[in-house]
């Protein structure tokens, strides 16, 4: 089961109910204890009923290009994206492709402690999954930077995909997989690039000849 939350500009505030008037303190206390026991029992039953896939399913926060998407533990904003025929990683190395490089520039920060982001995944309109290319050293991407509490860091990610993968594409960001036991409902951020068929054709048809990672 994957819960999906549409993130708005403001975080909704949850308000608790006030206790009804006229009840005795002892009655309220007893009802509170019974409520906690029932809630605990319900959580236990639900946990037992979860399949392995349900248990591993992430909690997905969705947004669009330029929107700040808060996944509570970390926050991501997809700043821009473009296409290229080749990526220049140094003065002596340029990586070419017979498909298309999708260059995604994003910013990230954390909430409580520093995090690295994992290399993201691209989902196309047909549900196919594409990992970020391993032909570009991850040390040259945003994954190499620490997302600090309250401090934005920015950088690129790279996908090497067929042009047909651009229509309906979404990019999914998440922290790296941990060596510890699988965390239930780990957060992830899914950003829709907003590309329909026509926009995807224009993007694929006008790639930059060379995207350079050399700092001037």
């Amino acid at each position: 089961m994957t819960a999906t939350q549409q993130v708005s500009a403001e975080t909704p505030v949850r308000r608790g109910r006030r206790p009804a008037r006229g009840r005795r303190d002892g009655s309220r206390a007893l009802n509170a204890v019974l409520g906690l026991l029932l809630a605990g029992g319900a959580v236990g039953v639900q946990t037992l009923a979860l399949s392995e896939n349900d248990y591993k399913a992430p909690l997905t926060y969705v947004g669009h290009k330029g929107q700040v998407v808060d996944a509570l533990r970390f926050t991501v904003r997809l700043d821009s994206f473009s296409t290229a025929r080749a990526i220049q990683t140094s003065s002596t190395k340029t990586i070419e492709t017979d498909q298309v490089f999708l260059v995604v520039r994003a910013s990230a920060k954390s909430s409580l402690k520093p995090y690295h982001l994992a290399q993201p995944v691209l989902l196309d309109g047909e549900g196919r999954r594409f990992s970020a290319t391993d032909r570009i050293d991850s040390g040259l991407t945003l994954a190499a930077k620490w997302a600090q509490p309250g401090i934005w860091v920015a950088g690129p990610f790279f996908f090497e995909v067929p042009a047909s993968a651009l229509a309906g594409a979404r990019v999914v960001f998440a922290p790296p997989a941990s060596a510890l036991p699988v965390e239930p409902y780990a957060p992830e951020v899914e950003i829709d690039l907003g590309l329909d068929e026509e926009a995807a054709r224009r993007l694929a048809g006008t790639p930059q000849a060379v995207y350079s990672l050399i700092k001037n």
Side-chain angles (χ1 to χ4, degrees):
M1 175 180 64
T2 300
T4 304
Q5 175 180 345
Q6 179 67 45
V7 179
S8 62
E10 297 182 356
T11 302
V13 178
R14 296 181 180 178
R15 297 180 175 85
R17 295 181 180 177
R18 294 182 179 179
R21 294 181 179 178
R23 295 182 179 177
R24 297 179 179 177
D25 292 342
S27 176
R28 288 202 299 269
L30 178 59
N31 287 338
V33 171
L34 290 175
L36 289 173
L37 291 174
L38 290 173
V43 170
V45 171
Q46 183 180 15
T47 301
L48 291 174
L50 289 175
S51 69
E52 182 178 359
N53 288 337
D54 289 334
Y55 189 78
K56 293 180 179 180
L59 183 63
T60 303
Y61 296 79
V62 301
H64 51 76
K65 175 180 172 291
Q67 181 181 10
V68 174
V69 183
D70 187 351
L72 302 183
R73 187 178 305 175
F74 65 98
T75 302
V76 173
R77 184 184 65 234
L78 193 152
D79 298 316
S80 65
F81 58 87
S82 60
T83 53
R85 288 297 183 194
I87 308 296
Q88 185 178 20
T89 58
S90 71
S91 59
T92 59
K93 185 175 182 181
T94 298
I95 301 171
E96 299 179 345
T97 181
D98 56 1
Q99 300 188 84
V100 64
F101 281 115
L102 176 66
V103 183
V104 173
R105 290 197 61 85
S107 299
K109 64 180 180 178
S110 66
S111 298
L112 298 176
K113 64 178 184 178
Y115 282 103
H116 283 295
L117 290 182
Q119 292 287 334
V121 172
L122 183 140
L123 306 177
D124 73 1
E126 298 178 359
R128 294 179 297 177
R129 298 173 63 89
F130 298 87
S131 298
T133 180
D134 59 3
R135 299 179 66 202
I136 309 297
D137 185 350
S138 62
L140 299 173
T141 71
L142 180 56
K145 298 181 179 180
W146 286 102
Q148 301 280 353
I151 301 175
W152 288 100
V153 291
F157 288 113
F158 302 91
F159 296 94
E160 187 176 2
V161 296
S164 61
L166 298 178
R170 295 101 67 204
V171 180
V172 181
F173 301 91
S178 173
L180 299 175
V182 175
E183 177 186 358
Y185 308 125
E188 67 178 17
V189 170
E190 180 182 302
I191 305 293
D192 190 335
L193 301 186
L195 294 172
D196 58 16
E197 293 286 349
E198 182 179 352
R201 281 195 297 270
R202 288 199 304 267
L203 182 65
T206 56
Q208 184 177 349
V210 179
Y211 181 94
S212 180
L213 289 170
I214 299 176
K215 296 181 180 179
N216 295 326

